[in-house]
């Protein structure tokens, strides 16, 4: 249900995000997530929990759709790929941390409500500092320029680039941003219709490519592995419950560690080679995985070795995903 809320949150932000700005949009999304976390932690009925998940997802959709825009408008072109990788590394760290928290609260088949209420409310430990942080950072230079706040835009640029570029260069960059914003406004750019135009910058093709790679990323099964890895280890690969939970935590820790690898690759070898090579590896791994899981499920003579190999395939799959698929879909289109 959180994904349903996230979908509507992302769509909603498309209507008010440009008007309110990046900071305010993210702040609103964070407040909604805090409310969702409180509702989840205090739920005593299924309907209450479903609503809470939708509310939390709605806030997540707003922040997740706005955060990359804020980041791209702050980042220099030469390091934009690296900045995206750093952001996703923090995401993977949070995923690993959540798994270990869940592991700690669910030892020995713990059925007490605090085993899920405490992890739910722990979200606020990160959301409240995030809210405070977003309130003190400036708005992006591009958004300020597009809303005729040119002096503020220049001041933010000086804060961002003053330590490594002279003022003349910064003023030139600012003039370019202002000119681009003015040109977009003069031709009415930024409408929904612009997304499906076959114009000289191939907006329609860019839109279809961006949507397709995001859809294929999810259809590749990465979220199913992240969410259900304990079940996969236990039901499909034959591990006991404790070992399955432990392996799931190790898998997500590897997911975090492997996310440092594209830091040095994405701006050096390029998005496309990294993307194609890693999705090819992921496809090959899944083909091998299917054969190994069959050996386990049919109790063949090699089921124990097949189970261990299948577990290794999950590590390879998730590593390949974070190296060549996770970040490229955000910067390639």
């Amino acid at each position: 249900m959180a994904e349903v809320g996230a979908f509507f949150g992302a769509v909603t932000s498309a209507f008010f995000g440009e008007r309110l700005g990046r900071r305010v949009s993210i702040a609103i999304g964070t407040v909604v997530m805090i409310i969702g976390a409180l509702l989840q932690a205090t739920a005593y009925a299924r309907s209450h929990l479903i609503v809470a998940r939708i509310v939390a997802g709605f806030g997540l959709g707003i922040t997740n759709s706005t955060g990359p825009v804020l980041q791209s408008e702050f980042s220099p072109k030469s390091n934009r790929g690296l900045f995206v990788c750093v952001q996703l590394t923090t995401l993977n760290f949070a995923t690993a941390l959540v798994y270990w928290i869940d592991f700690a609260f669910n030892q020995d088949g713990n059925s007490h409500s605090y085993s899920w209420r405490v992890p739910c409310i722990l979200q606020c430990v990160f959301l409240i500092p995030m809210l405070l942080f977003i309130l003190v950072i400036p708005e992006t230079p591009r958004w300020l320029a597009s809303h005729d706040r040119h002096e503020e835009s220049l001041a933010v640029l000086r804060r961002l680039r003053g330590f490594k570029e002279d003022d003349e260069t910064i003023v030139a960059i600012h003039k370019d941003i202002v000119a681009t914003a003015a040109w977009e406004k003069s031709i009415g750019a930024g409408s929904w219709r612009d997304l499906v135009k076959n114009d000289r910058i191939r907006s329609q093709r860019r839109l279809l490519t961006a949507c397709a790679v995001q859809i294929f990323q999810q259809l590749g099964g990465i979220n199913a592995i992240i969410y259900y890895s304990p079940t996969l280890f236990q039901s499909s690969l034959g591990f006991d419950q404790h070992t399955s939970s432990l392996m799931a935590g190790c898998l997500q820790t590897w997911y975090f560690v492997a996310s440092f690898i594209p830091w040095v690759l994405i701006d050096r070898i390029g998005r496309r080679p990294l993307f194609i090579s890693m999705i090819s590896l992921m496809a090959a791994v899944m083909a091998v995985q299917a054969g190994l899981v069959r050996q386990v499920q049919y109790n063949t003579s090699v089921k124990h070795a097949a189970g261990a190999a299948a577990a290794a395939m999950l590590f390879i799959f998730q590593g390949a995903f974070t190296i060549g698929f996770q970040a490229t879909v955000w910067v390639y289109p």
Side-chain angles (χ1 to χ4, degrees):
M1 299 309 296
E3 282 79 5
V4 174
F7 170 78
F8 286 106
V11 172
T12 301
S13 69
F15 291 97
F16 69 76
E18 181 60 32
R19 185 170 62 254
L20 295 179
R22 321 308 184 209
R23 292 173 62 250
V24 175
S25 297
I26 294 175
I28 291 173
T30 305
V31 170
V32 174
M33 283 195 290
I34 291 173
I35 294 172
L38 294 173
L39 289 173
Q40 289 175 76
T42 57
Y44 279 94
R46 180 178 298 177
S47 57
H48 186 164
L49 187 58
I50 290 173
V51 171
R53 293 291 291 169
I54 293 174
V55 171
F58 188 84
L60 181 66
I62 296 173
T63 56
N64 274 10
S65 60
T66 309
V69 178
L70 179 141
Q71 183 184 47
S72 66
E73 293 181 351
F74 272 141
S75 307
K77 293 180 181 179
S78 59
N79 300 114
R80 195 161 292 162
L82 173 61
F83 277 52
V84 171
C85 290
V86 172
Q87 176 203 357
L88 294 173
T89 294
T90 63
L91 172 66
N92 294 352
F93 170 74
T95 302
L97 179 62
V98 166
Y99 260 88
W100 288 116
I101 291 173
D102 183 65
F103 178 78
F105 277 92
N106 285 278
Q107 291 298 296
D108 303 320
N110 196 334
S111 60
H112 297 290
S113 65
Y114 73 80
S115 65
W116 59 268
R117 293 186 191 278
V118 174
C120 283
I121 200 65
L122 280 177
Q123 297 175 73
C124 294
V125 172
F126 303 96
L127 290 172
I128 292 174
M130 176 178 167
L131 179 61
L132 297 175
F133 179 74
I134 202 67
L135 292 177
V136 299
I137 68 171
E139 187 56 83
T140 67
R142 190 185 184 284
W143 186 87
L144 292 169
S146 64
H147 289 77
D148 299 321
R149 295 164 62 175
H150 300 156
E151 291 300 321
E152 293 178 66
S153 175
L154 179 58
V156 173
L157 269 178
R158 283 176 171 146
R159 288 177 61 185
L160 289 172
R161 297 171 174 263
F163 67 96
K164 64 176 182 179
E165 292 174 340
D166 57 67
D167 197 64
E168 184 178 346
T169 302
I170 294 173
V171 170
I173 294 172
H174 178 254
K175 287 181 179 179
D176 184 52
I177 293 174
V178 171
T180 301
W183 178 74
E184 290 176 347
K185 188 178 294 185
S186 68
I187 64 172
S191 67
W192 289 94
R193 185 179 299 176
D194 291 327
L195 293 175
V196 294
K197 283 182 179 178
N198 280 315
D199 52 22
R200 63 185 181 85
I201 63 171
R202 299 181 179 181
S203 296
Q204 184 185 76
R205 182 176 179 179
R206 288 170 181 258
L207 172 67
L208 294 176
T209 301
C211 292
V213 294
Q214 291 283 357
I215 290 170
F216 292 145
Q217 185 191 70
Q218 296 307 307
L219 291 177
I222 188 62
N223 272 355
I225 291 176
I226 292 174
Y227 293 157
Y228 300 110
S229 54
T231 303
L232 289 172
F233 282 116
Q234 184 172 358
S235 300
S236 299
L237 305 184
F239 291 87
D240 61 69
Q241 182 178 354
H242 177 79
T243 304
S244 296
S245 298
L246 188 62
M247 289 293 291
C250 292
L251 178 62
Q252 304 316 319
T253 302
W254 159 243
Y255 188 42
F256 162 64
V257 173
S259 66
F260 287 96
I261 297 174
W263 285 31
V264 297
L265 296 179
I266 195 165
D267 287 322
R268 293 187 180 184
I269 69 173
R271 284 73 156 134
R272 196 167 180 269
L274 199 60
F275 178 66
I276 293 175
S277 61
M278 288 299 104
I279 61 173
S280 299
L281 177 59
M282 290 167 63
V285 164
M286 280 293 103
V288 174
Q289 181 82 329
L292 293 171
V293 171
R294 186 182 185 281
Q295 301 301 314
V296 176
Q297 292 182 337
Y298 283 85
N299 290 315
T300 66
S301 59
V302 295
K303 69 174 184 178
H304 294 296
M313 290 300 107
L314 289 178
F315 281 81
I316 296 173
F317 180 88
Q318 206 154 328
F321 173 84
T322 192
I323 292 169
F325 206 174
Q326 188 177 28
T328 52
V329 299
W330 294 103
V331 294
Y332 178 69

